[in-house]
Amino acid sequence: DLHVRSRRQRQMCIRDRSSKSIGWDTSISLLYRPNFTQNIVLRASGAMLSGGGAFKELFATDRSGDKFYSVLFNLILTY
């Protein structure tokens, strides 16, 4: 049941934790606009989260590492 599951998740998040650190977020973004106009905009970004103690307590995974990655691309064409 969704209601029971969300209640359990809230209880898990509220309890005292041995660590307060979620971790470190590192990100970079590149923006390309030819001729400095808004007609064509290309954006690329990447991020990495190095999970801290609280993150590991909340989100136990079977992964060997504690780093999580995200890569995004966005293209806007305006006429």
Side-chain angles (χ1 to χ4, degrees):
D1 181 54
L2 182 61
H3 180 68
V4 172
R5 188 175 58 189
S6 64
R7 185 171 7 125
R8 285 185 193 145
Q9 288 171 342
R10 276 197 309 271
Q11 289 171 348
M12 197 169 88
C13 292
I14 292 172
R15 70 178 186 174
D16 289 334
R17 304 241 169 251
S18 61
S19 176
K20 303 260 188 236
S21 172
I22 286 197
W24 287 91
D25 174 46
T26 306
S27 60
I28 188 168
S29 177
L30 300 171
L31 182 68
Y32 176 66
R33 295 185 319 169
N35 301 323
F36 296 102
T37 65
Q38 290 296 110
N39 293 347
I40 301 172
V41 180
L42 175 63
R43 181 186 315 263
S45 63
M48 179 185 71
L49 174 67
S50 297
F55 183 84
K56 291 174 187 172
E57 289 178 25
L58 282 172
F59 304 105
T61 66
D62 294 335
R63 293 175 38 140
S64 61
D66 65 345
K67 293 184 178 25
F68 297 84
Y69 302 95
S70 173
V71 178
L72 302 169
F73 296 98
N74 185 350
L75 174 64
I76 299 173
L77 302 173
T78 306
Y79 176 72

